[in-house]
Amino acid sequence: MKKILVAGAGGFIGGHLVRELVGKGHHIRAVDIKPLNEWYQVAPQADNLVLDLRLRENCFQAVNGYHEVFNLAADMGGMGFIENNKAACMISVLINTHLLIASKDCGIRRYFYASSACVYNGEKQTDPNNPGLKESDAYPALAEDGYGWEKLFSERMCRHFSEDFSLTTRMARFHNVYGPHGTYDGGREKAPAAICRKVIEAGITGKKELEIWGDGYQTRSFMFIDDCIKGIQDIMYSDISEPINLGSSEMVSINELVDIIEDIAGYKLKRKYDLKAPKGVRGRNSENTLIRKYLGWEPSIPLRTGLRKTYEWISDQIVEESRRVRGSNRYNK
């Protein structure tokens, strides 16, 4: 049994990771800035703490007495959030910096940092037919403004703490993670969840129209949460010292993503394209040669399979919320 800190445990990926590690019998300290009732998932077996890890003293409190750190904490969301909250995204650099300092001083044995495909040079993402971004494509640096630069800088911090202080660090560049228990409304949601929600709501309201950001030809790859959780652990306990891609290589256009979700729903919608909305780079895909070389594995859950599970979970949430609202209205009368 290990004593493991999961930072960002109240978030989508963090919540899944905590449940996985608790299920393996580890002693988990789960930390997030959000009030406990706003965590996406709460594992009662964990030591659940509400702390602002941007503050140095809170990082020392969080890691003291523990063996390993998974740092998934960041102020982030989908492209709509990232493009309009660049300063907030940059401030997350304090979390990783202070956690690294505390980990060095408190004798942490292994440290995992959740980076992002947003670190990649934007000039290599202008073609929708992107052949896949290799790890070396992060340089020369031209990262996503704000969020991407914070991630790239924090990768360098991990590297130098390894070089200068012999702290074992591992870094994975996530490519668009989705699945149940994730954000699906409120402005921080990513494309798979946002489109699932819009399609479900169109079916409920009878308004057979779907708004799409951009022209729909921009391309991405999307990784299901189960693949992400496996990849995080495999990378953490590997000998991979450099940042490595963790993403699916199954690239689709946003229009194709909508096609799949409509097929799951069983109906088609009229598409309305908002060309002024945030849409990010033109084409992005994960090139998985290195992860196959090192681990003999890559994320492989088919997009359709993961989307069906995600769609069903979001649909259940929307139906349950509608019931609560109707019940509240009856009570108020």
Side-chain angles (χ1 to χ4, degrees):
M1 184 187 74
K2 299 175 183 176
K3 297 182 71 177
I4 303 172
L5 166 68
V6 177
F12 165 46
I13 302 173
H16 281 277
L17 181 61
V18 167
R19 288 193 174 275
E20 172 78 6
L21 296 174
V22 164
K24 290 184 173 181
H26 299 303
H27 182 88
I28 306 302
R29 172 169 287 166
V31 177
D32 204 281
I33 192 173
K34 296 185 292 292
L36 201 61
N37 63 357
E38 295 180 12
W39 289 24
Y40 291 25
Q41 298 184 74
V42 177
Q45 308 95 319
D47 176 21
N48 298 302
L49 300 179
V50 176
L51 293 172
D52 183 351
L53 294 177
R54 293 171 298 186
L55 303 178
R56 179 183 172 120
E57 60 269 25
N58 288 345
C59 290
F60 275 85
Q61 179 184 341
V63 306
N64 190 33
Y66 279 68
H67 306 143
E68 298 176 351
V69 172
F70 287 88
N71 179 15
L72 287 79
D75 196 357
M76 59 86 67
M79 190 51 60
F81 179 84
I82 289 173
E83 286 198 4
N84 294 296
N85 295 274
K86 293 173 184 175
C89 290
M90 289 294 290
I91 289 172
S92 294
V93 74
L94 296 175
I95 299 172
N96 191 59
T97 302
H98 290 147
L99 274 177
L100 282 170
I101 293 169
S103 295
K104 173 182 73 71
D105 290 352
C106 294
I108 289 295
R109 300 168 189 169
R110 280 184 179 260
Y111 184 99
F112 176 89
Y113 178 65
S115 187
S116 167
C118 288
V119 303
Y120 284 114
N121 187 312
E123 292 181 351
K124 299 185 179 183
Q125 302 174 76
T126 59
D127 183 357
N129 299 311
N130 192 298
L133 294 161
K134 304 184 297 294
E135 284 77 3
S136 59
D137 288 334
Y139 296 93
L142 187 60
E144 183 83 42
D145 201 10
Y147 180 71
W149 278 105
E150 185 276 321
K151 290 295 185 183
L152 194 61
F153 176 84
S154 291
E155 285 184 4
R156 304 294 289 193
M157 288 288 289
C158 290
R159 169 183 167 177
H160 296 313
F161 267 70
S162 291
E163 293 171 341
D164 294 356
F165 306 116
S166 299
L167 174 63
T168 298
T169 63
R170 300 290 180 258
M171 295 154 278
R173 292 172 178 164
F174 292 173
H175 288 249
N176 296 308
V177 188
Y178 74 99
H181 298 283
T183 302
Y184 61 90
D185 62 4
R188 291 180 183 253
E189 65 275 19
K190 296 186 177 181
I195 294 171
C196 282
R197 186 200 77 239
K198 290 177 181 180
V199 171
I200 293 165
E201 289 176 344
I204 293 172
T205 63
K207 184 181 178 182
K208 301 299 183 180
E209 185 175 86
L210 175 68
E211 182 182 81
I212 297 174
W213 288 5
D215 61 11
Y217 291 105
Q218 62 269 39
T219 54
R220 298 290 187 275
S221 65
F222 301 97
M223 174 173 54
F224 191 60
I225 184 63
D226 292 0
D227 272 341
C228 181
I229 297 303
K230 172 178 169 50
I232 288 172
Q233 296 171 89
D234 287 355
I235 292 168
M236 175 64 146
Y237 301 113
S238 73
D239 294 325
I240 307 169
S241 59
E242 69 264 37
I244 190 166
N245 280 333
L246 182 56
S248 169
S249 59
E250 183 186 355
M251 187 175 71
V252 296
S253 70
I254 298 302
N255 281 327
E256 290 169 333
L257 180 66
V258 174
D259 289 339
I260 297 171
I261 295 172
E262 287 179 332
D263 190 47
I264 293 169
Y267 50 83
K268 295 287 186 180
L269 302 172
K270 179 182 178 181
R271 301 181 186 185
K272 178 182 177 183
Y273 295 93
D274 184 353
L275 302 181
K276 295 182 180 180
K279 44 192 173 288
V281 296
R282 194 68 180 151
R284 177 182 291 161
N285 193 20
S286 182
E287 209 288 330
N288 288 344
T289 298
L290 274 185
I291 196 169
R292 289 196 302 267
K293 173 185 173 182
Y294 286 124
L295 301 180
W297 172 87
E298 65 178 306
S300 58
I301 295 173
L303 180 59
R304 182 177 292 270
T305 300
L307 282 175
R308 183 174 294 279
K309 293 179 180 180
T310 306
Y311 182 94
E312 291 172 352
W313 181 83
I314 293 174
S315 179
D316 288 345
Q317 306 311 301
I318 291 174
V319 169
E320 181 59 30
E321 177 62 25
S322 177
R323 287 174 181 163
R324 285 198 295 266
V325 169
R326 289 199 302 271
S328 176
N329 288 342
R330 285 197 298 269
Y331 179 81
N332 290 334
K333 289 179 181 178

